[in-house]
Amino acid sequence: MGNDPVRIGEQLRSDAVGTWHRAEQSGQPRTLRILREDLVGREDARLLFEEEVRRIRRLDHPALLGVHHVGASGERPFLLTDPIDGETLADAAPLPEQAVAALG
């Protein structure tokens, strides 16, 4: 991340291996995905997290999550991405029948 420090904000979500935090870098909204603190030292969790990061980084499309930085070294690997705290399909639920058919 060099000269562009990241400000880490509130936790947005948590799952089996990581947490998602609101973040900001150079005035731009970002999301920080980081290995859960309680899993530090667990090789199985680290491998699973690193595989997730590898898969996300391989995807390159304007409609998908953009990756800005990956930190693979250290105790807690992380991923800095586009923000994920916008609207979701759950926010739009229940979807109209035509929208559900289009998604299928």
Side-chain angles (χ1 to χ4, degrees), residues 31-78:
T31 295
L32 175 70
R33 170 89 166 133
I34 190 165
L35 181 69
R36 284 189 0 218
E37 190 170 6
D38 61 312
L39 297 176
V40 169
R42 291 224 2 222
E43 188 64 19
D44 58 335
R46 185 182 185 92
L47 289 172
L48 186 60
F49 187 91
E50 288 173 351
E51 177 62 18
E52 176 184 322
V53 169
R54 186 186 69 75
R55 289 177 183 210
I56 291 171
R57 287 182 81 182
R58 284 187 0 181
L59 302 173
D60 185 22
H61 189 278
L64 299 174
L65 191 64
V67 175
H68 298 277
H69 186 77
V70 172
S73 61
E75 289 187 336
R76 294 179 72 190
F78 67 89

Side-chain angles (χ1 to χ4, degrees), residues 16-33:
V17 294
T19 57
W20 299 91
H21 297 265
R22 190 180 316 267
E24 184 179 293
Q25 182 182 37
S26 301
Q28 296 298 311
R30 301 279 189 249
T31 295
L32 175 70
R33 170 89 166 133

